[in-house]
Amino acid sequence: MAQEETNRVFAEQGRDARTLFAEMDAIASADQRWDDPRNLKASYWAGDDVVAVMHEAYARHVDDNAIYGASLFPSLVRYEAEVVAMALDMLEAPEGAAGGITTGGTESILMAVRTARDWARIHRPGAAHPEIILPETAHPAFEKAAQVVGMAVVRMTRSPDWRADVAAMEAAIGANTVMLVGSAPPYPYGIVDPIAGIAALAVAHGLWMHVDGCIGGFLLPFLADLGEPVPPFDFRVPGVDSISADLHKFGYSGRGASLLLLRERANEDFQRFSSDAWPSGTYSTLNFGGSRNGGAIASSWAVMRYLGRAGYRERVAAIVATKRAIAEGLAADGRLAVLGRPEGANICIVSDTLDMVAVAEGLDEKGWLTGRLQRPAGLLLLITPRHAGIEGSLLADLRAVADEVASGRRSARGSQAVYVG
């Protein structure tokens, strides 16, 4: 019987640790290293020193459960409160703002959608079948969240200038609309949506407005500090009610940790779930899940304290330099280009003349790990500080693959762009 089949039977006797870990090494032998500089997918490296701090802080609290923070682990309560306070300061929140740590961007979005739904029961009572209006590029987690909480989604079909179609969103507003969404930036293009325009619609129509800053929340503020052009996207924009920002992305914490931040603490009442219907007393959480790993919360606090604003700025500056070098190298070649003017670290490479599926497959064969874009066909690169200095070899391989595709020596074998897997 093959080893894989043997392991599907829950054995009577356990294995010694040495044998067990040797087996794990063998199973993981084909895995990619997350911090490989040729990995341009979603892996967030900020330096070996930052990784060491993150790992140590995580390990110190990996056995602690934040649901029991008030009674057993007050350190986690303090870490979470201070992380939220630092993030609210970073995102220019007004007095009276609030927030909490979730297990990831999808949960942050889920809780934002649920909060907007319950808020609308009071503030939009005529919305019998509540709807969310999304830009074309909004994350699919909004559909997932809407399905869970019983809402409908109206997704736009165009992205003029690769940003949200504000005019179409306005035209789509109806009696059932309760929530508008913008991304800062969205994953597909890395170009920040016109948040001020979407928020103005929310104010005019009395709607909840959420900014999905899961990728950009810990990036865009420091880009602005460096003098890079960043459209308004945070709580300084009137009408922005909530922001999601992932700590385990460019916050560099351990997974899974994200933030859901609210302009007004009073709106936590719409986020919270409480019940005392069972024998064990009141159960009350601001999260969809119950248990939360203390390691993720502790590592978020530790990394933010370790880096400070200056440390984040230094790493964002490295990202900017790499992005610029890639864009300039592509422009010099002329056959490939960065799509639009992305503020984010997630950039798309496209072509007017080359089959980008074939280009992507060629890069795969040369050992590069990139994402794919389907509209338009292209490559998705997520730049982190780890990629400083890789632009020379990346551009050389891109030119070589472009030559093969242009000459007809290489053609595409597949077609579908896939986000996960």
Side-chain angles (χ1 to χ4, degrees), residues 135-138 140 143 155-159 161-163 187-191 339 348-351 356-357 372-380 415-418:
E136 180 194 22
T137 54
E143 270 107 349
R155 184 182 283 271
M156 302 298 98
T157 58
R158 296 176 60 250
S159 299
D161 300 322
W162 312 112
R163 305 197 305 162
Y187 180 80
Y189 303 139
I191 300 170
L339 181 70
C348 302
I349 297 178
V350 295
S351 176
M356 289 305 299
V357 175
R372 305 283 181 90
L373 186 69
Q374 66 178 353
R375 293 193 308 271
L379 298 173
L380 278 170
S415 61
Q416 187 175 10
V418 179

Side-chain angles (χ1 to χ4, degrees), residues 23 26 65 82 89 99 130 180 189 216 221 260 270 293 306 312 370 389 407 409 412:
E23 183 181 0
N65 187 349
E82 293 183 4
D89 180 46
L180 303 179
Y189 303 139
L260 176 60
F270 303 112
N293 190 283
Y306 177 74
Y312 281 101
T370 66
S407 68
R409 287 178 287 136

Side-chain angles (χ1 to χ4, degrees), residues 10-327:
F10 195 1
E12 178 66 29
Q13 299 297 325
R15 299 180 183 180
D16 66 274
R18 183 175 179 180
T19 301
L20 177 70
F21 292 130
E23 183 181 0
M24 291 183 72
D25 288 341
I27 292 171
S29 61
D31 291 356
Q32 299 286 344
R33 281 193 57 90
W34 73 275
D35 57 352
D36 187 327
R38 295 169 77 84
N39 178 9
L40 288 154
K41 289 191 172 184
S43 294
Y44 302 89
W45 180 94
D48 289 337
D49 58 329
V50 180
V51 173
V53 167
M54 180 268 286
H55 282 175
E56 174 66 21
Y58 204 109
R60 285 173 181 243
H61 291 274
V62 70
D63 298 314
D64 300 346
N65 187 349
I67 199 171
Y68 301 118
S71 58
L72 297 179
F73 309 113
S75 62
L76 299 183
V77 176
R78 175 175 171 178
Y79 294 149
E80 181 165 12
E82 293 183 4
V83 167
V84 168
M86 287 187 282
L88 289 171
D89 180 46
M90 177 182 72
L91 294 172
E92 304 288 346
E95 286 293 323
I101 296 177
T102 70
T103 57
T106 293
E107 188 185 11
S108 292
I109 287 169
L110 171 61
M111 298 314 299
V113 168
R114 181 182 183 275
T115 302
R117 183 201 65 181
D118 289 3
W119 169 90
R121 288 173 176 167
I122 293 175
H123 296 280
R124 298 279 292 174
H129 305 286
E131 294 179 347
I132 309 167
I133 296 178
L134 301 178
E136 180 194 22
T137 54
H139 198 283
F142 287 98
E143 270 107 349
K144 183 188 290 187
Q147 186 179 93
V148 169
V149 305
M151 295 176 69
V153 165
V154 180
R155 184 182 283 271
M156 302 298 98
T157 58
R158 296 176 60 250
S159 299
D161 300 322
W162 312 112
R163 305 197 305 162
D165 190 341
V166 178
M169 293 178 74
E170 182 173 24
I173 294 172
N176 287 314
T177 307
V178 302
M179 184 181 194
L180 303 179
V181 170
S183 302
Y187 180 80
Y189 303 139
I191 300 170
V192 176
D193 282 336
I195 300 301
I198 300 171
L201 291 181
V203 171
H205 294 273
L207 307 173
W208 187 279
M209 198 284 172
H210 179 76
V211 174
D212 177 12
C214 286
I215 295 179
F218 279 82
L219 182 84
L220 298 178
F222 305 108
L223 276 174
D225 287 351
L226 293 169
E228 296 293 323
V230 176
F233 76 97
D234 57 20
F235 285 113
R236 286 173 292 184
V237 178
V240 170
D241 293 296
S242 55
I243 299 176
S244 50
D246 281 4
L247 290 153
H248 62 208
K249 289 190 171 71
F250 288 103
Y252 304 117
S253 79
R255 296 184 185 275
S258 176
L259 288 161
L260 176 60
L261 305 173
L262 304 175
R263 178 182 289 275
E264 298 180 18
R265 182 176 297 276
N267 286 328
E268 280 188 342
D269 291 344
F270 303 112
Q271 179 183 344
R272 181 173 293 280
F273 171 84
S274 298
S275 175
D276 60 2
W278 68 331
S280 288
T282 299
Y283 174 94
S284 183
T285 70
L286 288 172
N287 300 72
F288 189 76
S291 295
R292 288 184 296 148
N293 190 283
I297 295 169
S299 71
S300 301
W301 182 89
V303 171
M304 290 180 76
R305 296 282 291 166
Y306 177 74
L307 285 175
R309 288 180 179 265
Y312 281 101
R313 276 196 297 272
E314 289 171 9
R315 283 149 183 83
V316 170
I319 292 169
V320 170
T322 302
K323 281 177 55 182
R324 187 166 292 139
I326 292 171

